[in-house]
Structure formats: C-alpha cells, structure tokens
Amino acid sequence: MDEIEYVWSVLGGDAALTARVARAARPEVLEARLPVRALASACVGACALAAAELAARRAASGGVPAVRVDDGAVAAAFTSERHLRIGGREPVSFAPLSRLWRTADGWVRTHANYPHHRARLLAALGLARDTEDARAVDAVGSLLAGLPARSVEETVYAAGGAAVALRTPEEWAASEQGRAVAGRPLVERGVLDASPARTFAPVPPSAGALLPAAGLRVLDLTRVIAGPVATRTLALLGADVLRVDPPGLPELPDQHVDTGFGKRSATLDLTCDQAAFEELLGAADVVVTGYRPGSLDRFGLSPRALAARRPGLVVARLSAWGAYGPWAGRRGFDSLVQVGTGIAALEGTADRPGALPAQALDHGTGYLLAAGVLRALTEQSRHGGSRYVEVALARTAAWLSAGPAPDGASGAGRPHGVGGPSTMGTGSGAHRVCAAGDAGGPGDAGEAGGPGASPWLRERESPLGRLRYALPPVRFEGGPTDWERAPGPWGADAARWV
C-alpha cells in the first residue's frame, strides 16, 4: 500500500479511484531524513481526489476527473509563507522569542508569535511583559540555561504559554500522550445522527472551472496554519468561506494574508453575540474549528451540540496534540509538535535539534482535514447523517515518523507510516539543522520550495497591495487553478452570509 492509497483508505474512499491519480515526482524538493515529500504529495493527492470525486458526484458526469500531483507545486504550497511577498516585503514568520533554547539538561522550544503568548512566557519566567525583544532574548536565554527542560515546559504551560521540551522518538512513544496518539486513526470520521441525505444541485463549470464546493457555506473558526489551509482549499473549490475571529484577538497580519485567499474575514464575540453566531450556523453546511479541544464547548460548539442545532452539518476539528490523552487541552503549534514527538531529534545532530524543511505537519494536516470534509459531503449525498472529521498535528507526526525511508521505497505492509523499511540515519543527509530562531530553514522564496519553485508562484493586486504567492497544489481535470478572491484586511467583512 503506497502513501496515497493509505490516506485514501483512511478517508473511506473507493480504492479503485486511486488509479485516477498521477504524480510528477521531483526528488530535489523538501529534502529531509524523514519522507516529507511523500507525506506532502499523499495529503495533497488525497485532497484533490476527494475534490474530483465530489465534482463528479455533483456534475452527474459518471466519471471522476483525473488528478495530477506535482511535487514542485506541493513543495511551493507547503512553504507558502516563505514565498509570500506583500508589496515586495518579505513577511515575518517567527518572533524573536519563538525559538529553540538550550536548557540545563537539553532543549526546549517556545512559541511566542502572538502577543498574549509572548506575555505569558515572560510572566512565567518572572520577566516584565514589556521587556524589549533583544533584552528579552538575552534574559530568557540566561534563565533557561539553568533550568531543566521539562520544568520549563510545565511552568510555561501552567501560565497559559506555549513551550515543549525536546524528546526523542522513543521518549515520545513511551509517554502517555504518545501512546494515546499512536492508537488513533490518521483521520477520525463518524456519523452524528440520521439526518436525510444531502441533495446537491448540479454544478456546471463556472468561468471554465468545475467547483465541487460551489453553493456550500463554510464557517471557519480556525487560526494559525493548518485549519486556515483547509478552509483556504475549500474556498478554492467554490465554497463561501467566512472566517470568524474574536475581536480582541487579531490574527498575525502576514499569516492572515497567506491563508486568507478565497475567504471573507469577520469578527464576532461569542460571549455576547451568540444570536449572531446562531444565525450563521443556521445557514452553514460545514463548521471547521481549530481551537484547543474543549475550549469552545462552553459556547455549544462540540460536534454533537452543533449537529443538534443544525442537522446535516459537517463538523471538522483540528488540534495540535489530539482531543484525548493528558495533553488534549494543551496549546501546540507545528514547531512544538516537531520537538515534542521526536521529529526535531531525528532531523538534527548530536549537538543540536533540527527541523523539517517546511511546516509540513501544519500543511499536511490542513489538506487531510479538507479531504475529510469533501469525503463527508460525498458520503452525505449517498447515506445522509450529520458528520464529523477530526485530525491532529501529533497524529500526522506519528504517521511521518513511523516509517522513515527515502522516497521511492515501498510502503507495503506499513499502514501507519510514510515510506517503507526504516533507513534511519542512512538517507541522503540533506536534512538541515535549524538556527536558533528558525523553524524550518532559510526564508528565501527562491529556495524555500527547492529548485524550480517559480512556476508555482503568481502575482496579483489585492486590497493589501501587490501579492506574490504560491498557487494551490490541489488540481484535477477541469478544476480551478487559482482562487477567485484575494485576501482582504482582517475582520473587515460583515459577519453574515452573502
């Protein structure tokens, strides 16, 4: 079973349809010790096949369009934040306090891109929240050098911040959270009720492209990268995607641009605007959430609670560590999950942890989530039922780590890992050790996706200035090749459906 077949089987797809997928392999991109390129292409390929399947269902054409996955397009998309230019300006990916730190007994990774996480990190360490960045870096480095890594992890987490101690793959596998993650499917899917089958109106080609999600309304309650990548993909496929954020918690500006293509952006305070949210929910087809498990439950946003109020809904949920185990409620980001699950140790050296050549857990999990939504919609049209889809960065990490091998190795008999027999430490050696503030290598757009990235980039005008950006990698015969809508200012749209 190769990677695309494995992902498609986890999504419940007809195995025969994988014959519709062709891959243009480019060994020079996304080089690493772990098979990042194989994971990335499998996630994108499964998503494209799910889109093609739904397109055929809605067009009543009888045949699923052919899918083509090009590793060059995939690599550019998986490093989209590094290719982005806004009015010629290179975006900021990581804040000064988001980095690896040496501790008394190892390493710890912090994430402080958001102002509130920065403030909590400094407060946890007894430093003033308004400490200037350069002084803060020196002070934090001095403090952490004398503390045990696991102690830092617990102290910062208890203060509401984000920090994870470096673990080896063996240490992660032996942990209670590691065991919980390993026991779950890559994509969790289920039926919540016995709602009638979804009836789709046939969708003719629009502007020359077949849009399988046309007419569907997606309520986007996600942040950072993975969730917004999923909803950005649904927007590409024709969905009306409305991203809703709390008014006092803005998204990082450059991150908003990168993942905002095809969407509208609004703000809504769920503590006092519940009626407005219920109005949005009442006309939604899909709700996607990316906050910590349980953090939205007080607003009635668990899958069952949502489906009870809006029968026929598809609820898609993303988390960092999984909605189970002792870390279910912990904050997490791609860089932290790489450190916690042993990936940083695998990609590093004896002297320093490393990193993947892209934030592949974020991007890969985003395409898995979009694929799960598309398959749920197809299955609804056949069998009915409100449905849920759940994914976790840590579960994607487990899949990547379970079977490290060079691309091209057989994956037969390894249903839980990307690649085939383990060749740990004997690969190409093309992995890169990350610098102190780096989560995945140099930020030069000409290098980020590897040689030949430029064919997968495009420029256009937007309300935010002229943008250079990575084109979407999800392609099928007759489908869209770019987003119809450029991103606009964060929170500038009305919290209502068009």
Side-chain angles (χ1 to χ4, degrees):
M1 179 183 295
D2 68 14
E3 289 78 30
I4 181 66
E5 291 172 342
Y6 167 59
V7 176
W8 191 242
S9 70
V10 168
L11 292 168
D14 179 357
L17 292 182
T18 58
R20 304 297 295 156
V21 182
R23 178 185 177 193
R26 300 181 187 271
E28 71 276 12
V29 302
L30 297 179
E31 292 181 294
R33 282 179 174 167
L34 291 172
V36 177
R37 185 167 56 253
L39 174 144
S41 293
C43 293
V44 169
C47 185
L49 185 56
E53 178 191 39
L54 182 58
R57 179 75 174 167
R58 297 194 65 178
S61 62
V64 172
V67 169
R68 178 176 173 80
V69 182
D70 192 303
D71 284 355
V74 171
F78 269 56
T79 52
S80 61
E81 62 274 12
R82 283 182 251 158
H83 291 297
L84 181 67
R85 295 294 182 272
I86 306 169
R89 177 182 63 82
E90 185 175 350
V92 176
S93 295
F94 284 89
L97 295 182
S98 294
R99 61 173 63 200
L100 279 163
W101 308 88
R102 191 182 289 277
T103 64
D105 61 352
W107 296 86
V108 69
R109 174 91 199 192
T110 56
H111 194 286
N113 283 6
Y114 289 97
H116 59 292
H117 288 158
R118 180 187 188 275
R120 292 168 185 172
L121 170 64
L122 293 175
L125 299 175
L127 299 172
R129 299 185 178 203
D130 58 355
T131 304
E132 183 265 335
D133 280 339
R135 289 181 56 238
V137 169
D138 291 341
V140 171
S142 296
L143 282 169
L144 298 190
L147 298 172
R150 299 284 181 95
S151 172
V152 174
E153 175 183 278
E154 293 301 324
T155 298
V156 174
Y157 169 69
V164 173
L166 178 72
R167 288 166 172 79
T168 65
E170 294 76 18
E171 288 171 332
W172 172 251
S175 71
E176 188 176 349
Q177 188 64 30
R179 293 194 300 272
V181 168
R184 308 299 281 244
L186 179 62
V187 181
E188 298 187 59
R189 308 159 49 250
V191 181
L192 296 167
D193 59 29
S195 299
R198 180 181 290 274
T199 301
F200 282 122
V203 178
S206 172
L210 187 62
L211 302 174
L216 298 175
R217 289 170 167 169
V218 177
L219 192 53
D220 179 1
L221 306 178
T222 69
R223 295 177 70 79
V224 197
I225 296 177
V229 163
T231 51
R232 182 181 69 181
T233 302
L234 297 174
L236 168 75
L237 300 171
D240 177 12
V241 177
L242 179 63
R243 173 165 167 169
V244 176
D245 286 287
L249 199 62
E251 181 60 281
L252 299 173
D254 294 342
Q255 203 160 261
H256 166 72
V257 175
D258 181 48
T259 59
F261 283 88
K263 309 178 190 178
R264 291 178 296 117
S265 171
T267 61
L268 195 65
D269 188 345
L270 295 184
T271 62
C272 58
D273 292 335
Q274 190 69 36
F277 177 81
E278 293 301 320
E279 186 174 349
L280 290 173
L281 175 64
D285 298 286
V286 179
V287 174
V288 186
T289 67
Y291 292 80
R292 288 178 297 121
S295 63
L296 297 179
D297 289 359
R298 70 185 188 276
F299 300 114
L301 300 183
S302 69
R304 290 197 179 277
L306 288 167
R309 306 201 303 280
R310 174 64 169 161
L313 195 67
V314 173
V315 183
R317 296 204 303 177
L318 161 80
S319 63
W321 304 105
Y324 35 76
W327 284 22
R330 292 205 174 191
R331 295 168 181 83
F333 300 88
D334 184 301
S335 57
L336 300 186
V337 176
Q338 287 191 42
V339 167
T341 60
I343 287 175
L346 287 171
E347 291 291 336
T349 67
D351 298 324
R352 186 176 187 85
L356 299 176
Q359 293 190 73
L361 306 181
D362 262 332
H363 288 272
T365 305
Y367 289 108
L368 288 175
L369 189 61
V373 169
L374 295 166
R375 287 247 59 249
L377 291 166
T378 296
E379 292 184 345
Q380 275 188 332
S381 71
R382 293 173 175 147
H383 310 297
S386 301
R387 293 174 182 263
Y388 71 89
V389 181
E390 293 193 12
V391 293
L393 301 188
R395 187 61 192 87
T396 304
W399 173 42
L400 176 64
S401 301
D407 264 358
S410 170
R414 298 191 64 84
H416 299 299
V418 183
S422 176
T423 57
M424 180 61 63
T426 63
S428 68
H431 66 287
R432 288 174 287 149
V433 178
C434 69
D438 180 24
D444 182 78
E447 299 175 354
S454 58
W456 315 113
L457 306 182
R458 183 165 294 176
E459 293 192 6
R460 71 194 295 178
E461 296 297 333
S462 81
L464 302 171
R466 187 163 184 81
L467 304 180
R468 188 185 74 177
Y469 61 99
L471 288 165
V474 173
R475 301 287 181 93
F476 60 92
E477 186 178 7
T481 58
D482 198 356
W483 294 275
E484 291 188 4
R485 179 188 178 100
W490 178 84
D493 296 295
R496 62 172 181 265
W497 298 114
V498 174

